Amino acid sequence: MMLLEKPDTVALIFEHMRLAPGVGRLQVLNAAFAEIGVDGLEAIVAEAARFSEKHLAPLNVVADREGCSLIDGRVTTPRGFAAAWQAFVEAGWPTLDHPVEHGGQGLPLLLAIAVQQLIDGACMALGMLPVLQRSAARLIQAYGDDNVQREWVPRLVSGEWAATICVSEPDAGSDVNRIRTRARRREDGSWSITGEKVWISFGDHDLTARIGHCVLAQTEAGLSLFLVPSLLTQTDGAETRNTITVRRLEEKMGLHGSPTCALGFDDATGWLVGTAGRGLAQMFVMIRIMRISAGVQGIAGAAPAMDIAFRYALERRQGGAADAQAVPIIRHPDIQQQLMKMAAGVEVVRGLANLVAVQAELAQLEAEPADRDAAAALTQWLLPILKTLGAETGFNTANGAIQVLGGAGYTADWPVEQLLRDTRVLTIYEGTTGIQALDLLHRRLWRERGKGLDIFLASARHDSTCEAPHRAKLVACLVLLEDAAAQLLNASNDRVANAEAAATAFLHLAGLAATGWVAARLASVHGDSPSQRWLSACGRYWLTALPARAAALHRDIVDIDEDRAVLAEVFGDA
Ligand SMILES: Cc1cc2nc3c(=O)[nH]c(=O)nc-3n(C[C@H](O)[C@H](O)[C@H](O)COP(=O)(O)OP(=O)(O)OC[C@H]3O[C@@H](n4cnc5c(N)ncnc54)[C@H](O)[C@@H]3O)c2cc1C
């Protein structure tokens, strides 16, 4: 028996929703939220938990073992996916946070990410499909012309049709400027798209009648964005297949239920979305949502891994006095440390995800332009941090759970090895950790002169909900972040490479500061409910090592010259 039992994921999600900074303001500004209140959100989350348990969880292992198949050029998803998807759409789950005028329910993103945690926690592979739809619907709402919007947005919002994001190519991964797919305007106003896109999630499947590929391609004006449908409707209403072929279905380490395709576009028909030459900037509407979702996927994968580790540690008996029955391994201080590291790590990142979700929406809804601007800058600052920390938390927690389970964790008898494989990709897709670090350095720190950082520092420092001893640890970390940022901001042109070498350490230091803020808020919670006590313990645990961990990262950044000297000796100009 533990003195303080670990609450289940749903109870923790409820508590976090109430604690998120800005949630009260969001409730005032979002009409649907104002109507149903936090209690209403909780009822929906509880229903999502029941739905996921009934329809999605039973598919997870089957999907991992069966995977997808490519038969006669078409992708077939694992057994049970089609029925589960139909149930998902009929229940209205894809519609939650879309505007009412587009067929959505107008509920907050905060709710959508809570629901995503339960869907992905049950079956992460299938959970990737609605994220693509949600983000593509937003992209087309933002930039599609009237015809494209009328045809696509309601069907994407409802889940009737699906979408992909087609950026990557064999020679263009992180470096999107090397995209070679070309688009040529035809006389009838449509565009001809020719090229190859690789690693396209849900590039083909049997779950929806139509797929809209959001494709970045080169035009004379530069990189442009196109909507390229899998099926075309002729003037007589007949449907024909667009000239898009699945050239390969990837064999992957994990997420076997999610088909990852190489797609050939051979004079395929598409439509320009927005302005020619502005494709990448526009695509960021989709990429932003997908990066939040990648972070949330990590939290979703971490939660079941952590639950299994706690349950196992309570039951597995090893050690203790030789002449007595062996004790549950949860009695060993080393196991307690491992479990608490996982628990605190998951809860601070869950809190961070809510912080980002609330700020992202306030950036749209605030009445004053200056307030919208501040919320947007804070969101942009926190986005690469959430993406990275969520992704790392998913993998590290699955890894930690395997360690707690010992040999059993390494076998397929327990789902933690699948969680390890499924979450491994999260620090790679939607921009690798290295690319997130460069985003923070080049865009947020150098180009915007640390505007988002300043708003973050002021918000964290002046958060009156953080009590003095917890605030002191947070402030120690903020001071180190501010000092490291000042050094990087002042880096002269001939020291760009040094700053880039320190970028990932800086991203992680910024991550400690962001989770430190969440932890200081959690540590200051004083309720008596199991969730409140649990979150308070997690917050205090996360804060104990915070200043020392931040100091180590700060040293990595300010002493980068020493590293660079060794790198130069080893790599030269390689
Ligand atoms: C399962 C899966 C699903 C995917 N789904 C999609 C999808 O739906 N749509 C899509 O378009 N793509 C998708 N991708 C592709 C994914 O976005 C890319 O893999 C990712 O952007 C990295 O590109 P890359 O693999 O070519 O790695 P590379 O760009 O070759 O990078 C390799 C390494 O070099 C580093 N690196 C690269 N450039 C720099 C630089 N300038 N400075 C410092 N370090 C650098 C990277 O950080 C990385 O560590 C998917 C990938 C996978 C594995």
Side-chain angles (χ1 to χ4, degrees), residues 24-102:
R25 180 77 185 139
L26 183 61
Q27 193 170 349
V28 172
L29 294 172
N30 176 313
F33 184 16
E35 198 175 317
I36 68 171
V38 179
D39 290 345
L41 299 191
E42 287 185 359
I44 297 171
V45 171
E47 187 50 39
R50 283 190 287 275
F51 179 90
S52 303
E53 197 53 39
K54 180 173 170 199
H55 294 279
L56 306 180
L59 305 176
N60 199 34
V61 172
V62 182
D64 184 52
R65 304 224 165 126
E66 261 181 25
C68 301
S69 339
L70 184 59
I71 302 166
D72 297 333
R74 299 301 311 276
V75 172
T76 308
T77 53
R79 230 174 334 141
F81 267 35
W85 181 252
Q86 204 182 338
F88 188 80
V89 169
E90 278 169 11
W93 291 115
T95 65
L96 293 177
D97 61 325
H98 288 286
V100 175
E101 61 272 26
H102 294 302

Side-chain angles (χ1 to χ4, degrees), residues 165 167-168 173-174 199-201 252 425 428-430 432 435 438:
I165 179 167
V167 176
S168 304
S174 305
W199 297 314
I200 304 308
S201 298
K252 309 195 295 290
V425 72
I428 296 172
Y429 65 29
E430 296 318 320
T432 62
I435 297 302
L438 292 180

Side-chain angles (χ1 to χ4, degrees), residues 148-166:
V148 166
Q149 287 213 21
R150 240 192 327 273
E151 186 180 15
W152 280 89
V153 172
R155 292 180 172 98
L156 287 175
V157 167
S158 69
E160 183 185 342
W161 290 355
T164 68
I165 179 167
C166 290

Side-chain angles (χ1 to χ4, degrees), residues 446-468:
W446 284 343
R447 199 177 68 192
E448 294 170 5
R449 305 303 296 166
K451 179 177 168 188
L453 169 64
D454 290 344
I455 293 169
F456 164 75
L457 289 169
S459 311
R461 272 206 177 99
H462 300 121
D463 185 343
S464 57
T465 55
C466 302
E467 292 172 348

Side-chain angles (χ1 to χ4, degrees), residues 422-501:
D422 284 353
T423 53
R424 182 60 190 90
V425 72
L426 301 178
T427 58
I428 296 172
Y429 65 29
E430 296 318 320
T432 62
T433 298
I435 297 302
Q436 303 301 323
L438 292 180
D439 177 69
L440 202 65
L441 179 70
H442 280 271
R443 289 207 176 92
R444 307 301 156 223
L445 203 57
W446 284 343
R447 199 177 68 192
E448 294 170 5
R449 305 303 296 166
K451 179 177 168 188
L453 169 64
D454 290 344
I455 293 169
F456 164 75
L457 289 169
S459 311
R461 272 206 177 99
H462 300 121
D463 185 343
S464 57
T465 55
C466 302
E467 292 172 348
H470 311 310
R471 181 198 298 270
K473 289 182 178 145
L474 167 63
V475 169
C477 181
L478 297 180
V479 167
L480 292 168
L481 174 64
E482 203 168 17
D483 183 70
Q487 301 224 17
L488 293 175
L489 264 169
N490 294 331
S492 54
N493 282 345
D494 60 330
R495 292 174 59 80
V496 167
N498 286 34
E500 288 187 345

